[in-house]
Amino acid sequence: MRLSRLLCTIALAGAASGAQAEGTVTIVGWGGSWNDVYKIGVTDPFTAQTGTAVTLDEWDGSLAKIRAMNESGSVSYDVVSVEAPQLDIGCDEGLFEKLPEAVAAEADNYLPGTFHPCGIASDTWATVLVYDAAKLADGPKSWADFWDVEKFPGKRGMLGQAMYTLENALLADGVPPAEVYNVLRTPEGVDRAFAKLDEIKPNVVWWTSSSTAVQNLDAGEVVMTDMYNGRITFENENNGKNYGIAWEAGFFYGTDMWALVANAPNADAGRAFLEFFALPENQAGFPRLYGYGTGDKRVYDLLTPEQRDRLPTSPSRIGFGAPYDSAFWAENQESLEQRFKTWQSQ
Amino acid sequence: MPSVAPASPLTAARGQLPYLAMVAPLVVFVVLTVILPVALFLFRAVDNRELQANLAATSAALSGWTAEQGLPPEPAFAALVRDLAAAQAAGHAGTLAARLNQAVPGSRTFILKTARLAAEGALTGPDVRSAVLAAAKGWQNPALWSVIAQERGRFTAFYLLTSLDLQRHPDGSIGAVPAEQALFLSILWRTIAISLSVTAICALLALPVAHVIVAAPRWAAAGLLALVLLPLWTSLLVRTVAWIILLQGEGPINSTLQGLGLITEPLRLVYTRGSLVVTMVQVLLPLMILPIVSVLRRIPPTYMRAARSLGAPWWTAWRRVQLPMLLPGLLTGSGIVFVFALGYYITPTLIGGPGDQMLSSFIVFYTDKTLNWGLAAALSVQLLAVLALAAGAVAAVRALASRRVA
C-alpha cells in the first residue's frame, strides 16, 4: 500500500516536471532516507506546483556553519531543518528569518513545541523506552520499570548526555511529563534528577550513536534502551526486528524545524516553500511515508490509522508525552552538559 | 653528486630565488587558509566585544559598585535599559544574552525579555529599577551585575579561566569552580594520557614489524605493507562497529574464552579505556611503521653484524648501534601518532566509556551546538599548547641524541 502511494506520487511528480522551472531553492535536510522521503513526499510536489527547482542538500545540523556563512557573507542555504534548541539560539542571534506572515498566522493550529517565530516543525520524533519483545515477552511499562534492575535484570542503554536523559530520570522518579521542566528549572530539581541517575549508573551502557545503541540491544548487551522512535519503526519494518515501544511509560518529543536562513540567496523561493509546507495536505506528504510526524494538528486527520500509529505526536499518543523545552535547553545546555560529563566520569 | 647540476653562475642568494618563487604560492596558501583563520578563531578565546560594545553605559554606571553593596543603584538600571534597547534595535540582543548566559547560566530568557521590553519603551518612569525587577526578577542576582562590572574591557579572561576550571568571584578574586562543574582539566589530562599511551603502544608494536618488513624479501614486504595500511583504508564507522561486535559480552572473544572454560562471566571489554586504545592503535599504527621502515631501510645490516662480531650481545648491539640510527624515524612516527591521537573525538564517543571522552569532542560541542566559540577557542589553545610542548620534547630528544652520537 505504501509502495503504490509512492509510485503514484512519483508519477504525479513526473507528469508535472514539464512545468517551466521558475528559479531554484536550496533546501537542506538530515540526509539518508529522511531526504529521500522528503523529496518524494514534499519537495517534488512543490516543484510540480510552483515550477521552482529544488536542490535537496544535507547537513549535520551544525549552527556554526550558518553563523560562519553569515559572517563571511556567502550564504548558500535557503531553507534548513534545524533542531529546536538551535533554532532558538540562531533566531535570537539573527541567523534565521522570521516566518512569512501567512505561515505565522497558523500558529494556533500547531502542537506545543512545533511552532516558533522563526520556524515550523519539519518532523517530530520522540525518545522512547524500547525493549526487545523477542526476549522480554512481558516488557517494561514505565520508566520506574526501566530503573528496576531486580524486576528486569540486565544493563540499560542510555543516551550519554544531559539533554533528554535528565527528563527520563524525573519520569522514573514519578514526575508527570508536563511537570518535568517546572522541576528541572529549580536547582533542587536538577539535584533530584542526578540523584535518580545515581541509582542506575552502575547498570548503564552509555550510547552516542543510535547505530551502536540498536546493536547493543540486538546483541543482548542491554535489555532495554532509550531510542528515537523512527529508528525502531525502521528496524521493525525493514530488518525483521520485534522491538517493543513502551509509549505508555511517557516520553518527550522533539522537533526539527524548517527555517529560512538570514540573507538566503533565494529568500523568496524559500518563503514560498514554507508557505507551501504550511498547508496541511502538503505537510501530510512526509508523515504518510515515515515514522516521524509534523506540527500542524490537522495533518493527523489526513493519515490512515496505520500511519498515525507510528507517530509520537498522533492524537492517541501525544497524551503520554510532552514536548522538549527548547528554551530551557538553549539556556541550560552548557552548564548541565558540563555537570553531566563530570558526573559521568566520576 | 657533481654530475647533476653544473656550477651556477648566479650567487647563492640569487640561486635560491627560483626556489622561493616555487614555494611562495604554498606559503601564501597556508597563511591565507590555515594560519590566518586559526589565529582569528583563537582570538575569540580573549575577545570581549559582545559585552564591551553592548553594555558600555551600564558598566560605566557600575564603576565603584561592588557586589557587597547589594543591588546596584537606579542609574545602573537606567543605563542597562538604554543599552539593552540599543542592542535590541541593532539586532545584538541575542548574542549579548548568549554571552551573559555563559557566565550566569539560566539568564538568557529573561535578558532577552528585558531587551524586548526596553526597546518597546515599557521600562521607563521614575523608578526604572522596580520596573526592571518586576519584569524580570533574574536581575536581582548580584553575580550577573558583577560580570557586567568586571568584564568591561576589550579582552576577557573568562574563557581561558573556564577552560582551566577556574572562575572569577564577585569580589574579583580567582578561584576553582565547584567540584560538580570541574571538568576541563581532567579532560585535558585524560586526552594527553590516552594520546601518550597510544603513541607508546604503537612504538612498541611498530619496531618489530618494521624490522620484519625490512628483512623480508621484496614481494613479502609489499604484502606486509599492504596489510599494515589496510586499517587506514577502512571506513571509521565500519572499523569501530567491528571492534564493538568483537568485544561485546556475547561477542567472539568472550564466547571463545567462556568455551575454553577460562572465564565464567563475560568480561567487560567494550566501552572501556582499553577498547578505545586498541581501536586507536589499530588505525594509527601505520603512521608509526612507515617512518621507521623508511629509516631502517637506509641502515646497512652490516652495522649490526659488525657490532655482534665484536662481541656485543644482540640487545646491546641493537640498543647502542641500531636504535640511535633509527631514532629519527621513531621520533617522526611518535610525533605524527601523538598529534593525530590528540585530535580524536568520534572514536572515543563510539567505543570509549563515559570517562574516555577527549578534548576535541568538547570543542565540537561548543562550536556546533551552543555557538560558544570563545570557550571552543580557549580549549583549542590548550590543544595547541600541548602540541607545542610535544614538538619541544621531540626536538629536545633529537638534540640530546645527536650530541651523544657526536
Side-chain angles (χ1 to χ4, degrees):
Chain A
M1 203 210 80
R2 243 176 112 192
L3 187 67
S4 65
R5 204 181 287 274
L6 272 178
L7 290 173
C8 175
T9 325
I10 292 168
L12 273 176
S17 64
Q20 183 68 40
E22 288 184 24
T24 61
V25 62
T26 303
I27 294 175
V28 189
W30 299 96
S33 55
W34 195 98
N35 269 22
D36 296 344
V37 168
Y38 245 104
K39 179 172 161 51
I40 296 164
V42 179
T43 64
D44 280 351
F46 171 68
T47 304
Q49 196 184 90
T50 62
T52 305
V54 172
T55 307
L56 197 56
D57 211 338
E58 66 174 84
W59 74 325
D60 59 357
S62 156
L63 206 49
K65 205 173 272 176
I66 307 275
R67 186 197 255 185
M69 279 183 181
N70 244 292
E71 287 191 359
S72 66
S74 58
V75 178
S76 57
Y77 294 164
D78 294 309
V79 177
V80 297
S81 175
V82 58
E83 289 167 278
Q86 270 67 46
L87 179 76
D88 219 36
I89 295 172
C91 183
D92 286 332
E93 202 174 294
L95 298 179
F96 299 112
E97 298 275 347
K98 296 274 186 281
L99 285 172
E101 274 175 34
V103 181
E106 300 290 327
D108 290 344
N109 288 316
Y110 278 75
L111 294 167
T114 64
F115 183 92
H116 188 279
C118 282
I120 51 173
S122 61
D123 59 274
T124 60
W125 47 271
T127 316
V128 290
L129 199 178
V130 175
Y131 58 97
D132 193 345
K135 290 175 187 146
L136 275 182
D138 190 19
K141 307 268 185 300
S142 66
W143 286 97
D145 282 349
F146 189 91
W147 251 250
D148 192 341
V149 289
E150 278 171 19
K151 197 161 149 196
F152 298 98
K155 300 266 181 195
R156 273 77 167 134
M158 284 181 95
L159 180 57
Q161 61 178 43
M163 188 159 73
Y164 314 156
T165 302
L166 297 182
E167 285 96 333
N168 290 344
L170 288 180
L171 289 182
D173 212 22
V175 181
E179 289 297 312
V180 160
Y181 288 102
N182 292 339
V183 176
L184 270 185
R185 279 198 157 87
T186 63
E188 302 77 40
V190 173
D191 290 343
R192 181 175 168 188
F194 275 99
K196 192 68 187 172
L197 285 172
D198 278 335
E199 291 176 19
I200 203 172
K201 195 178 180 185
N203 294 297
V204 172
V205 176
W206 301 103
W207 60 269
T208 44
S209 125
S210 58
S211 303
T212 54
V214 170
Q215 153 69 23
N216 287 342
L217 186 63
D218 193 43
E221 189 85 5
V222 299
V223 291
M224 51 187 92
T225 186
D226 53 357
M227 179 45 58
Y228 309 122
N229 73 295
R231 179 66 197 241
I232 294 307
T233 308
F234 179 86
E235 294 291 328
N236 285 347
E237 287 181 3
N238 299 291
N239 293 341
K241 301 295 180 190
N242 184 20
Y243 297 140
I245 298 179
W247 291 102
E248 70 278 16
F251 62 87
F252 282 86
Y253 65 88
T255 44
D256 301 315
M257 311 284 266
W258 282 131
L260 180 64
V261 179
N263 306 314
N266 308 299
D268 286 335
R271 273 182 213 105
F273 173 75
L274 290 176
E275 283 164 7
F276 172 88
F277 186 72
L279 299 177
E281 58 269 31
N282 296 334
Q283 211 170 101
F286 182 69
R288 272 194 190 117
L289 304 173
Y290 215 52
Y292 290 144
T294 52
D296 195 314
K297 285 177 263 190
R298 293 167 296 182
V299 165
Y300 296 87
D301 300 332
L302 305 172
L303 305 178
T304 67
E306 301 92 82
Q307 287 163 352
R308 275 202 293 267
D309 201 42
R310 300 183 301 199
L311 309 176
T313 41
S314 65
S316 61
R317 288 275 158 66
I318 199 160
F320 297 118
Y324 284 118
D325 188 332
S326 57
F328 173 82
W329 283 113
E331 69 179 16
N332 293 295
Q333 190 175 13
E334 286 194 350
S335 58
L336 289 180
E337 291 301 345
Q338 206 170 316
R339 176 164 172 186
F340 185 84
K341 295 288 183 217
T342 310
W343 170 85
Q344 225 186 0
S345 55
Q346 271 163 3
Chain B
M1 293 176 284
S3 63
V4 175
S8 167
L10 300 168
T11 64
R14 284 181 64 196
Q16 281 167 1
L17 263 178
Y19 298 107
L20 284 177
M22 275 158 71
V23 297
L26 178 71
V27 171
V28 172
F29 180 78
V30 168
V31 167
L32 282 183
T33 63
V34 181
I35 297 179
L36 204 62
V38 167
L40 282 176
F41 186 76
L42 292 183
F43 173 68
R44 291 174 190 263
V46 294
D47 190 4
N48 195 38
R49 81 186 128 185
E50 283 97 357
L51 293 187
Q52 192 218 16
N54 291 312
L55 289 179
T58 314
S59 57
L62 283 172
S63 66
W65 173 86
T66 56
E68 300 102 67
Q69 299 166 17
L71 272 186
E74 172 76 12
F77 277 87
L80 176 77
V81 168
R82 281 200 306 279
D83 275 343
L84 286 181
Q88 176 80 10
H92 294 155
T95 41
L96 175 62
R99 170 68 179 85
L100 285 170
N101 191 69
Q102 288 159 8
V104 184
S107 57
R108 179 174 167 275
T109 309
F110 74 76
I111 292 171
L112 284 169
K113 183 181 170 194
T114 316
R116 213 162 36 237
L117 292 173
E120 288 164 4
L123 300 173
T124 49
D127 191 358
V128 175
R129 188 162 106 157
S130 303
V132 169
L133 291 176
K137 61 179 189 302
W139 290 105
Q140 281 167 350
N141 184 358
L144 189 55
W145 290 100
S146 294
V147 170
I148 298 173
Q150 285 166 357
E151 305 276 3
R152 64 180 74 186
R154 180 70 187 86
F155 302 106
T156 177
F158 171 71
Y159 299 112
L160 292 171
L161 289 175
T162 306
S163 75
L164 295 169
D165 293 336
L166 297 172
Q167 63 180 356
R168 193 187 291 272
H169 296 297
D171 64 5
S173 64
I174 289 172
V177 295
E180 67 195 28
Q181 294 283 344
L183 178 65
F184 297 115
L185 280 184
S186 64
I187 304 278
L188 178 64
W189 299 135
R190 171 197 300 174
T191 305
I192 295 173
I194 291 174
S195 305
L196 279 180
S197 46
V198 167
T199 310
I201 294 172
C202 278
L204 287 178
L205 292 177
L207 283 171
V209 176
H211 278 89
V212 170
I213 289 175
V214 171
R218 191 170 279 269
W219 60 269
L224 285 171
L225 269 178
L227 277 180
V228 162
L229 290 172
L230 201 59
L232 277 184
W233 298 329
T234 317
S235 126
L236 179 140
L237 206 61
V238 170
R239 205 167 55 216
T240 313
V241 171
W243 275 112
I244 293 176
I245 293 173
L246 205 61
L247 296 172
Q248 67 196 8
E250 296 178 7
I253 293 181
N254 265 315
S255 42
T256 308
L257 289 176
Q258 277 176 304
L260 291 172
L262 293 173
I263 52 171
T264 49
E265 285 287 300
L267 295 175
R268 184 112 205 96
L269 297 174
V270 74
Y271 309 121
T272 60
R273 178 69 58 92
S275 63
L276 170 62
V277 169
V278 165
T279 314
M280 286 175 72
V281 165
Q282 182 197 24
V283 68
L284 293 174
L285 191 56
L287 304 180
M288 182 70 89
I289 293 178
L290 292 179
I292 296 181
V293 165
S294 74
V295 171
L296 206 52
R297 279 216 169 112
R298 280 181 273 144
I299 305 175
T302 45
Y303 288 9
M304 270 296 270
R305 267 184 258 146
R308 297 292 306 279
S309 71
L310 289 171
W314 185 89
W315 169 244
T316 310
W318 186 83
R319 195 168 49 87
R320 303 279 300 272
V321 176
Q322 191 93 305
L323 182 60
M325 283 190 291
L326 57 78
L327 197 63
L330 190 61
L331 284 175
T332 306
S334 301
I336 296 174
V337 169
F338 183 75
V339 168
F340 270 75
L342 269 187
Y344 262 56
Y345 74 94
I346 300 176
T347 309
T349 55
L350 287 177
I351 204 168
D356 303 321
Q357 304 312 308
M358 293 167 72
L359 201 54
S360 300
S361 66
F362 291 86
I363 297 177
V364 172
F365 172 72
Y366 291 109
T367 309
D368 279 2
K369 292 294 176 192
T370 68
L371 284 187
N372 187 349
W373 289 6
L375 189 51
L379 294 171
S380 309
V381 168
Q382 289 188 350
L383 270 192
L384 269 184
V386 175
L387 276 186
L389 283 178
V394 168
V397 173
R398 205 164 263 171
L400 215 64
S402 65
R403 205 163 53 197
R404 276 181 57 187
V405 170

